[in-house]
Amino acid sequence: MDSNTQENENESLTMNNLNPYIFGVTDSVRGPTVTRAVEIEQQLKNDVNRFPFYRVIRANIGDPHASANQSPITYIRQFVVGCTYPPLMNMSDFPSDIKHRVERLLDSCGGKSLGSYTESQGIRTVREDIANYIARRDGYPANPSDIYLCNGATEGIRLVLKLLMNNDRNKPSGIMIPVPQYSLYSDTLSLYGAYQIGYYLDEDNNWALNLDELERSFDEAKEHCVPRGIVIINPGNPTGQILTAENIRMVIKFAYKHKLFIVADEVYQENIYLPNFKFCSFKKALMDLGSPYNQMQMASFHSASKGWHGECGSRGGYYELINLTEDVRIQVNKLVSAGICSTAWGQVVMNAIINPPRKGEPSYELYEKERSDVFNRLKQKANLITDLFNSVEGVRCNRVMGAMYAFPRIDLPEKTVEHAKSINMTPDTFYCFQLLEKTGICVVPGSGFKQRPNTYHFRITILSPVDEIKQIVERFRTFHESFLREWQ
Amino acid sequence: MDSNTQENENESLTMNNLNPYIFGVTDSVRGPTVTRAVEIEQQLKNDVNRFPFYRVIRANIGDPHASANQSPITYIRQFVVGCTYPPLMNMSDFPSDIKHRVERLLDSCGGKSLGSYTESQGIRTVREDIANYIARRDGYPANPSDIYLCNGATEGIRLVLKLLMNNDRNKPSGIMIPVPQYSLYSDTLSLYGAYQIGYYLDEDNNWALNLDELERSFDEAKEHCVPRGIVIINPGNPTGQILTAENIRMVIKFAYKHKLFIVADEVYQENIYLPNFKFCSFKKALMDLGSPYNQMQMASFHSASKGWHGECGSRGGYYELINLTEDVRIQVNKLVSAGICSTAWGQVVMNAIINPPRKGEPSYELYEKERSDVFNRLKQKANLITDLFNSVEGVRCNRVMGAMYAFPRIDLPEKTVEHAKSINMTPDTFYCFQLLEKTGICVVPGSGFKQRPNTYHFRITILSPVDEIKQIVERFRTFHESFLREWQ
């Protein structure tokens, strides 16, 4: 430790009095391997021959425009610029359907400008369009008053988890989270001082949820916390699975039995690669089950960052919050209102995404062409990466059915495991660092998402161009084989 | 209470198990008077003769595009659309200086698209430009690594206050906040379970800070909490004052003595209406004082929502966080990174604001014209509203030197005070509700910001057009006189 860790007369904020919950935050997706990747990129700039590769492949985060140089969808960007600077719409070639949508949106903004604060829940017409999108998706009506726009799903998820925190009792609040899970959940619960009730997804059964396992984890946690909610990520992150409607109904009945608030992370609902498969939302399953389940309280999240259009930078997102009592709703709305509102530009991007041009409208053809190009490539890559990983010895990878990631399992030699532990590292982190140093491929170790003890995985995005994916897996194969030879 | 408050088999989230800290959030700026204002607007739509006015004047929130139909600044919006949809820049009349800026910005975005996640702290070139802006402002260098972009200053302030929370000791963390203060602070501290150490601003001395009062409030709070930081809002919200450099230096020495982290809310730094006055930032004062003060840790906040351009909807904002030790910095950056990044569009708007066109550049003249139009009107209105309020009997209003608000003090008859208390309302809230019902003017009661016991104020924005401001104060005068007659 350097002298900085010594307390000093001028320091009001030190390692001794910093909020201790921050130490529990891991930020695995942009964590230590990424920090090293950035260093390597810098070193490559100074000396292109320093590593056995000429550039780093950032396969750690689902970020399509950056990872694959995927171009933005014209319809979305034209809608945004029309809303931003309306004089542009006087250009003769500005599509009339977009112009009509822009005018409708600006009519519900103060001073007809995106520069005004929006309603705290979000611009009224955006919420109406989202409610229509949900109704089309599920076949059940949705209420614009149940919709809340937010800065990325991240912000919304944190707010909803906040509602469930009631740590003043003798026991902390507990939230059930899948293992493996997207680290936003474990990080947020660490920060809130909440108890994490990890339930294992069933890797041998396409990462489905298992009732016995849910009951086991609930039972074991009961004495340490007051269980309050259950998080489900569907399609899965980091796992890429899609749950069946039957599996979802089982989870709903389990949540009902234990009075758990359902937190349904459905941000990958548009990323479905299984042929002839229709996404089933938790809300639809709840409604299909009828009374009393259709009166359960739940939140479902969607995000402009995900889907196939890749508008991550907009930080658009929304959640639908259903079946709250009137008095709880008032408290929630007050809390939302204290944050003033989410970014108007993010709301506009979200609006474009859930309200695409319809057949016959001037923007439809180009939109449909751009959409199917991107989407078909994603589908192809999801299959390709699964097959390629499964062709490597000692690697097993469940089919990537949805989302943006493969989560292959790797067998690591006992010697590697011991060595990693001796240098205070998880074995998969050690492995991923080696992969990065030898091949330039940057992935996230499975331990960043939690995993069953003594199993090792990593998460890799499926976003790189098709040819690059082939090269990535070939480079990986060579690395993995030589790694095993070295450590066996 | 209706039957909704009864617990029910289907309810996982009830008034009994909701996070109890949420009850302490007040959201005064968009609170009950605004809810009533929205109802009245609806009632006016159905029956234009129902009230003695034909529309509600929303003077409760600083939202220029909405309040005054203020047009967006062309330079800002052209920069945003260039970044959003680069093909637009092929138009022959697209300004070349903006094109150059857009290209530089997109070069530091993944895939040259705003659709990529940005670096967690914000786009590199934006942080460089902000560092240059701060250096020009203060005459001291700033480091891009100390700059953090955020979704409105609100998000940044919450994050920085979060760092200081260390409630696991026997006493909660305490934060000194001005009284009156912008309710974001009291709301956030309520939500965090922190102790609010209110120090009174000196109304008789242009709302300056007073050393004896700081020491008094600190001393009294010591036994209830561990004081960790001090919030200063300069220019003031809701008070509209500007602190002198001398006053600021006094506060810095006080913070040094007690090892308090300085939280400087300087979001109104561009809204300075005093002639020949230059804004003094806390950082400049700290640096001017030299050692050991220039090694103190502090955060300063700025926001795209404030200033004179009024880009509230963008939710752009940033903070500068200086003099952290390396190990604390790592923890902070990890926490920031776990939130992924702030909205790229907000960052772009913030960039345009702190990097305006320079003399000689093609966009300069129009920008300068638009800027001086808006700014001169604000200056005129700040003076006008002060003078007009002071011409009403029983009203005293400190000069609006900066920010966007007047905070006049009103004397309320004892009978009003008793009546309000009998209906469980603060007297100023009762008064503001009456003002709304009789005149359509929507303002925020002083109690929403906290105020000295037995004093009553309200906050009103200075944003309405000049003619309307005159009408507002005349309507207010008539109302106030008749109110006094009724209650005396």
Side-chain angles (χ1 to χ4, degrees):
Chain A
M1 294 245 176
D2 61 27
S3 63
N4 279 330
T5 56
Q6 297 296 316
E7 273 207 48
N8 172 314
E9 273 306 302
N10 315 313
E11 288 164 12
S12 48
L13 184 60
T14 70
M15 291 297 270
N16 293 326
N17 67 14
L18 181 69
N19 184 331
Y21 290 127
I22 293 172
F23 297 115
V25 173
T26 61
D27 179 38
S28 56
V29 172
R30 290 188 156 196
T33 40
V34 181
T35 308
R36 178 63 189 139
V38 173
E39 279 171 20
I40 292 177
E41 281 170 341
Q42 204 51 50
Q43 291 167 339
L44 278 172
K45 264 187 199 163
N46 301 332
D47 175 6
V48 73
N49 296 317
R50 179 150 176 185
F51 295 90
F53 48 87
Y54 69 98
R55 74 175 184 95
V56 170
I57 294 170
R58 301 272 199 112
N60 59 296
I61 190 166
D63 191 5
H65 295 194
S67 309
N69 277 307
Q70 180 184 314
S71 298
I73 303 300
T74 306
Y75 166 76
I76 296 176
R77 294 302 178 96
Q78 285 182 331
F79 180 65
V80 174
V81 298
C83 292
T84 304
Y85 190 50
L88 280 177
M89 297 192 296
N90 298 329
M91 293 186 324
S92 58
D93 57 346
F94 197 91
S96 59
D97 54 337
I98 301 184
K99 190 173 175 195
H100 174 78
R101 282 167 154 86
V102 168
E103 284 166 351
R104 174 168 165 268
L105 182 124
L106 290 180
D107 274 344
S108 64
C109 295
K112 300 197 180 199
S113 168
L114 292 190
S116 298
Y117 289 121
T118 75
E119 286 181 61
S120 294
Q121 285 189 232
I123 299 167
R124 177 81 200 178
T125 55
V126 176
R127 288 187 288 125
E128 285 168 3
D129 289 352
I130 291 173
N132 288 333
Y133 162 80
I134 294 171
R136 286 197 307 275
R137 182 192 70 190
D138 293 343
Y140 294 101
N143 186 341
S145 303
D146 290 347
I147 311 290
Y148 297 77
L149 277 294
C150 48
N151 294 314
T154 299
E155 187 195 61
I157 289 165
R158 286 175 169 176
L159 186 134
V160 167
L161 291 176
K162 190 66 146 178
L163 302 177
L164 303 173
M165 295 297 109
N166 198 334
N167 296 336
D168 279 348
R169 304 175 180 195
N170 301 327
K171 293 175 179 176
S173 297
I175 304 288
M176 299 185 70
I177 56 174
V179 175
Q181 49 96 47
Y182 178 47
S183 54
L184 162 66
Y185 293 99
S186 46
D187 282 349
T188 302
L189 296 176
S190 291
L191 203 56
Y192 289 176
Y195 190 87
Q196 300 174 31
I197 312 172
Y199 63 86
Y200 292 118
L201 298 177
D202 187 352
E203 184 164 12
D204 295 332
N205 191 16
N206 271 329
W207 300 110
L209 280 74
N210 174 294
L211 182 58
D212 290 341
E213 169 57 16
L214 291 176
E215 293 286 5
R216 177 205 64 77
S217 65
F218 183 90
D219 264 3
E220 284 182 22
K222 262 189 326 198
E223 58 180 300
H224 307 293
C225 69
V226 180
R228 293 296 311 280
I230 180 167
V231 171
I232 308 97
I233 311 177
N234 180 44
N237 177 4
T239 47
Q241 96 287 8
I242 304 175
L243 302 180
T244 62
E246 195 190 342
N247 203 234
I248 294 172
R249 288 193 293 266
M250 177 278 286
V251 176
I252 291 171
K253 287 179 179 171
F254 168 82
Y256 181 81
K257 176 179 165 194
H258 295 295
K259 275 205 175 195
L260 296 172
F261 187 95
I262 295 173
V263 177
D265 178 339
E266 304 180 319
V267 298
Y268 294 98
Q269 61 191 265
E270 294 166 67
N271 301 71
I272 304 287
Y273 311 125
L274 289 182
N276 305 317
F277 186 92
K278 203 173 172 309
F279 167 74
C280 175
S281 74
F282 265 77
K283 185 181 173 198
K284 178 178 174 359
L286 209 94
M287 294 297 159
D288 283 348
L289 280 171
S291 185
Y293 305 103
N294 60 7
Q295 292 142 47
M296 287 173 73
Q297 297 162 339
M298 66 161 282
S300 162
F301 298 85
H302 195 12
S303 165
S305 309
K306 302 308 162 192
W308 42 270
H309 28 69
E311 290 287 5
C312 310
S314 72
R315 309 305 276 128
Y318 77 82
Y319 49 103
E320 186 188 18
L321 203 50
I322 61 169
N323 290 329
L324 295 194
T325 59
E326 190 52 32
D327 42 11
V328 170
R329 178 76 70 184
I330 288 168
Q331 295 298 321
V332 172
N333 289 358
K334 188 182 66 175
L335 182 62
V336 169
S337 178
I340 309 185
C341 67
S342 68
T343 158
W345 271 268
Q347 295 183 37
V348 164
V349 171
M350 195 75 235
N351 196 16
I353 288 170
I354 51 81
N355 189 19
R358 294 196 194 85
K359 208 164 180 169
E361 291 184 324
S363 304
Y364 179 77
E365 271 186 43
L366 177 61
Y367 171 84
E368 199 38 42
K369 186 189 168 312
E370 292 178 344
R371 189 198 67 79
S372 58
D373 277 1
V374 175
F375 193 76
N376 290 338
R377 275 202 305 274
L378 277 172
K379 217 168 181 167
Q380 184 189 358
K381 292 187 280 192
N383 287 324
L384 180 68
I385 208 165
T386 312
D387 294 340
L388 286 176
F389 274 123
N390 281 321
S391 74
V392 180
E393 216 178 306
V395 176
R396 276 159 297 169
C397 184
N398 276 332
R399 183 146 302 282
V400 180
M401 302 170 171
M404 291 184 178
Y405 316 100
F407 196 61
R409 176 170 171 177
I410 41 175
D411 296 330
L412 293 182
E414 192 49 40
K415 227 171 96 189
T416 321
V417 173
E418 278 162 24
H419 172 72
K421 284 179 182 167
S422 76
I423 57 171
N424 217 0
M425 239 184 199
T426 61
D428 54 352
T429 304
F430 175 73
Y431 180 88
C432 291
F433 266 113
Q434 291 292 312
L435 178 67
L436 176 61
E437 299 286 336
K438 300 277 167 65
T439 67
I441 303 167
C442 179
V443 299
V444 184
S447 50
F449 306 99
K450 301 180 185 287
Q451 55 198 350
R452 262 188 199 278
N454 306 318
T455 70
Y456 306 105
H457 303 77
F458 60 87
R459 188 187 85 167
I460 182 167
T461 65
I462 61 164
L463 297 172
S464 298
V466 172
D467 284 349
E468 197 173 278
I469 284 194
K470 290 180 190 161
Q471 288 167 26
I472 288 174
V473 184
E474 284 322 303
R475 261 199 261 174
F476 167 79
R477 186 194 308 275
T478 311
F479 163 80
H480 187 69
E481 285 167 359
S482 111
F483 183 92
L484 289 189
R485 271 196 305 278
E486 188 184 339
W487 288 94
Q488 215 83 51
Chain B
M1 295 243 174
D2 60 27
S3 62
N4 279 329
T5 56
Q6 296 296 316
E7 275 208 47
N8 172 314
E9 273 307 302
N10 314 313
E11 287 163 13
S12 47
L13 184 60
T14 70
M15 291 298 268
N16 294 326
N17 67 12
L18 181 68
N19 183 331
Y21 291 125
I22 294 172
F23 297 115
V25 173
T26 60
D27 179 39
S28 57
V29 172
R30 290 188 156 197
T33 41
V34 182
T35 307
R36 178 64 188 137
V38 173
E39 279 172 19
I40 291 176
E41 280 170 342
Q42 204 50 52
Q43 290 167 341
L44 278 171
K45 265 187 198 160
N46 301 333
D47 175 6
V48 74
N49 296 317
R50 178 148 175 187
F51 294 89
F53 48 86
Y54 70 99
R55 73 175 184 96
V56 170
I57 294 171
R58 302 270 199 114
N60 58 296
I61 190 165
D63 191 4
H65 295 194
S67 307
N69 278 308
Q70 180 184 314
S71 298
I73 303 300
T74 306
Y75 166 76
I76 296 176
R77 294 301 178 95
Q78 286 183 331
F79 180 66
V80 175
V81 298
C83 292
T84 304
Y85 191 50
L88 280 177
M89 298 192 295
N90 298 330
M91 294 186 322
S92 58
D93 58 346
F94 198 90
S96 59
D97 54 337
I98 301 185
K99 189 173 175 195
H100 174 76
R101 284 168 153 86
V102 167
E103 285 166 353
R104 174 169 165 267
L105 182 123
L106 290 181
D107 274 344
S108 66
C109 295
K112 300 197 181 201
S113 168
L114 292 190
S116 299
Y117 290 121
T118 75
E119 285 181 61
S120 295
Q121 285 189 232
I123 299 167
R124 177 80 200 178
T125 55
V126 177
R127 289 186 287 124
E128 284 168 3
D129 289 351
I130 291 172
N132 288 333
Y133 163 81
I134 294 172
R136 286 197 308 275
R137 183 193 69 190
D138 293 343
Y140 294 101
N143 185 341
S145 303
D146 290 347
I147 311 290
Y148 297 78
L149 277 295
C150 48
N151 294 313
T154 298
E155 188 195 60
I157 289 165
R158 286 176 170 176
L159 186 134
V160 168
L161 291 175
K162 190 64 147 179
L163 302 177
L164 302 173
M165 294 298 108
N166 198 333
N167 296 336
D168 279 347
R169 305 175 180 195
N170 300 326
K171 292 174 179 178
S173 297
I175 304 289
M176 299 186 69
I177 56 173
V179 174
Q181 49 96 47
Y182 178 47
S183 53
L184 163 65
Y185 293 98
S186 46
D187 282 349
T188 302
L189 296 176
S190 291
L191 203 55
Y192 289 175
Y195 191 86
Q196 300 174 31
I197 312 171
Y199 64 85
Y200 293 119
L201 298 177
D202 187 353
E203 183 164 13
D204 295 333
N205 190 16
N206 272 330
W207 299 111
L209 279 74
N210 175 295
L211 182 58
D212 291 339
E213 170 58 15
L214 291 177
E215 294 285 7
R216 177 205 62 78
S217 65
F218 184 90
D219 265 2
E220 286 182 22
K222 263 190 325 201
E223 59 181 300
H224 306 294
C225 68
V226 180
R228 294 294 312 280
I230 180 167
V231 172
I232 309 97
I233 311 176
N234 180 43
N237 177 6
T239 46
Q241 97 285 10
I242 304 176
L243 302 179
T244 63
E246 194 191 342
N247 203 235
I248 293 172
R249 287 193 294 265
M250 178 277 287
V251 176
I252 291 171
K253 289 179 178 171
F254 169 82
Y256 180 80
K257 176 179 166 194
H258 295 295
K259 277 206 173 193
L260 296 172
F261 186 96
I262 295 174
V263 178
D265 179 339
E266 304 181 318
V267 299
Y268 294 99
Q269 60 191 265
E270 295 166 66
N271 301 71
I272 305 287
Y273 311 125
L274 288 182
N276 305 317
F277 186 92
K278 202 173 172 313
F279 167 73
C280 175
S281 74
F282 265 77
K283 185 182 172 198
K284 177 177 174 0
L286 209 93
M287 295 297 158
D288 284 347
L289 279 170
S291 184
Y293 305 104
N294 60 7
Q295 293 143 46
M296 287 174 72
Q297 297 162 340
M298 66 160 282
S300 161
F301 299 86
H302 195 13
S303 165
S305 309
K306 301 308 162 194
W308 42 269
H309 28 69
E311 291 286 4
C312 310
S314 73
R315 309 306 277 128
Y318 78 82
Y319 50 103
E320 186 189 16
L321 203 51
I322 61 168
N323 290 329
L324 295 194
T325 60
E326 190 51 32
D327 44 9
V328 170
R329 178 76 68 183
I330 288 168
Q331 295 298 321
V332 172
N333 289 359
K334 189 181 66 174
L335 182 62
V336 169
S337 179
I340 309 185
C341 69
S342 70
T343 158
W345 271 268
Q347 296 183 37
V348 164
V349 171
M350 195 73 234
N351 196 17
I353 287 170
I354 50 81
N355 189 19
R358 294 193 193 88
K359 207 165 181 170
E361 291 184 324
S363 303
Y364 180 77
E365 270 188 44
L366 177 61
Y367 172 83
E368 201 37 42
K369 187 191 167 309
E370 291 178 345
R371 189 198 67 78
S372 58
D373 277 2
V374 175
F375 192 76
N376 291 338
R377 274 203 305 272
L378 278 171
K379 217 168 182 170
Q380 183 189 358
K381 292 188 279 193
N383 287 323
L384 181 68
I385 208 165
T386 312
D387 293 341
L388 286 175
F389 274 125
N390 282 321
S391 75
V392 180
E393 216 179 304
V395 176
R396 277 159 296 170
C397 185
N398 277 331
R399 182 147 304 280
V400 180
M401 302 169 170
M404 290 182 179
Y405 317 100
F407 196 61
R409 177 169 170 179
I410 42 174
D411 297 329
L412 292 182
E414 195 48 42
K415 229 170 94 188
T416 320
V417 174
E418 279 162 22
H419 173 71
K421 285 180 181 164
S422 76
I423 57 170
N424 216 1
M425 241 185 198
T426 61
D428 53 352
T429 304
F430 175 74
Y431 179 89
C432 291
F433 266 113
Q434 292 292 310
L435 177 67
L436 175 62
E437 299 285 336
K438 299 278 167 62
T439 67
I441 303 167
C442 180
V443 298
V444 184
S447 50
F449 306 98
K450 302 183 186 285
Q451 56 197 349
R452 262 188 200 277
N454 305 317
T455 70
Y456 306 106
H457 301 78
F458 59 87
R459 188 188 84 167
I460 183 167
T461 65
I462 61 163
L463 298 172
S464 298
V466 172
D467 284 349
E468 196 172 277
I469 284 195
K470 290 180 188 160
Q471 289 167 25
I472 288 174
V473 184
E474 284 322 303
R475 261 198 261 175
F476 166 79
R477 186 195 309 275
T478 311
F479 163 80
H480 187 69
E481 286 168 357
S482 109
F483 183 91
L484 289 189
R485 270 196 307 278
E486 188 182 340
W487 289 93
Q488 215 84 49

